[in-house]
Amino acid sequence: ISSFSLNFWRGILGLLSFYLYTYSLIHLKLAEVVAISWTCPMFTVLLSHFFLKEQVSPLRYFTTLIGLFTMSAIVFVDNSTSFSIKLLYFAPIGASLLFAAQDVLIKKMLFSEDKFVMLFYYSLIICVFASLSAYPVWKTPTIVELLLLILLGVFTNLQQLCLFSAYCDVEISALATFKYLEFILSSTMGFLVFSEIPSKNIIIGVIVIVPMGLYLARCENKKKNSKSREKNLCDYQSCR
């Protein structure tokens, strides 16, 4: 598969995932969409095992499952209505699957592709194809809206670069658990920017997920250092 083909399909996956996620936000409650989107780390762990042949340790499976159950419980406890299965739930599930597929594709492409080339094609392909659906309903943004869109673009690109750097050094299945921190960080920003006070359940989620993520990071760092020492030892012995 050519380099352009991989970039093209990554852009298409990104576009479809954004469409599905936006559609979900329009037709479902925010709490429902957020809860279902926490299936993304589970998809990432599974896809990385089958397509990247990553050795997923029991610890990664365990931390991913605990994070999924913890964050889902936060939403379910806050909801007063039943969480019955609806056909619309397949939209955020599909978005989560596509986000996970993008992560796997990024990891695969980083072996042979420049980060900034990937970033350029991703933005270009999404912009071109998204403009086709935006044209019929286009409204010229105000100065404030334009500035916010520019900030959104800058932060999105920075987020992509951070992902690239992380995937270069660590297996994506090891990073899956840390995606649950996104909700924690979003709650913190909501408090600082919009004065929204996190609920008791959010605080419980912090207590459960943050130590779990830090423990996983420590274990992965120890494993990485151990492999590095073994490699250095082998190099030293081969030189003697």
Side-chain angles (χ1 to χ4, degrees):
I1 301 176
S2 66
S3 172
F4 177 78
S5 296
L6 290 174
N7 280 293
F8 175 81
W9 286 113
R10 178 172 168 259
I12 295 299
L13 288 175
L15 180 67
L16 292 176
S17 61
F18 290 146
Y19 275 146
L20 285 174
Y21 198 80
T22 304
Y23 180 84
S24 304
L25 291 173
I26 294 173
H27 295 282
L28 292 171
K29 295 179 180 179
L30 178 60
E32 293 176 331
V33 176
V34 172
I36 297 173
S37 69
W38 290 327
T39 57
C40 183
M42 285 298 300
F43 288 133
T44 301
V45 171
L46 294 174
L47 292 177
S48 65
H49 176 69
F50 288 107
F51 291 99
L52 298 177
K53 306 303 180 183
E54 290 187 358
Q55 297 299 318
V56 182
S57 66
L59 178 60
R60 294 183 195 176
Y61 276 123
F62 176 75
T63 53
T64 302
L65 284 171
I66 292 298
L68 174 65
F69 291 144
T70 301
M71 298 306 274
S72 298
I74 289 173
V75 174
F76 296 155
V77 172
D78 283 342
N79 285 342
S80 58
T81 59
S82 61
F83 200 172
S84 58
I85 297 298
K86 302 177 183 177
L87 290 178
L88 283 175
Y89 287 165
F90 286 99
I93 289 174
S96 298
L97 179 58
L98 292 176
F99 282 131
Q102 289 179 73
D103 290 339
V104 172
L105 196 55
I106 288 172
K107 180 70 175 182
K108 188 176 184 65
M109 294 173 64
L110 283 172
F111 291 110
S112 58
E113 194 72 68
D114 182 79
K115 299 177 184 178
F116 292 98
V117 172
M118 292 171 59
L119 198 62
F120 170 77
Y121 278 121
Y122 186 72
S123 301
L124 177 64
I125 291 170
I126 289 181
C127 181
V128 170
F129 284 93
S131 64
L132 299 177
S133 60
Y135 177 76
V137 293
W138 176 260
K139 293 182 180 179
T140 303
T142 64
I143 297 298
V144 175
E145 291 172 340
L146 184 61
L147 291 175
L148 291 175
L149 287 172
I150 292 174
L151 284 176
L152 179 62
V154 170
F155 288 139
T156 300
N157 287 320
L158 289 176
Q159 179 250 5
Q160 288 281 308
L161 289 175
C162 289
L163 279 179
F164 295 163
S165 299
Y167 290 162
C168 282
D169 296 327
V170 184
E171 294 179 339
I172 63 172
S173 58
L175 295 172
T177 303
F178 293 94
K179 292 190 176 183
Y180 295 116
L181 291 174
E182 181 181 353
F183 187 69
I184 307 299
L185 296 175
S186 299
S187 300
T188 303
M189 292 300 297
F191 173 74
L192 295 176
V193 178
F194 302 107
S195 300
E196 295 178 352
I197 301 177
S199 67
K200 179 179 65 176
N201 295 324
I202 298 298
I203 297 174
I204 294 175
V206 172
I207 295 173
V208 173
I209 291 175
V210 172
M212 182 178 62
L214 293 175
Y215 177 72
L216 178 60
R218 181 174 179 271
C219 292
E220 293 295 330
N221 187 57
K222 287 175 63 177
K223 184 171 70 173
K224 182 179 179 181
N225 291 337
S226 177
K227 289 182 179 179
S228 178
R229 286 194 297 268
E230 290 177 2
K231 183 178 183 299
N232 292 335
L233 180 60
C234 291
D235 292 341
Y236 172 75
Q237 291 176 344
S238 63
C239 291
R240 293 188 63 182

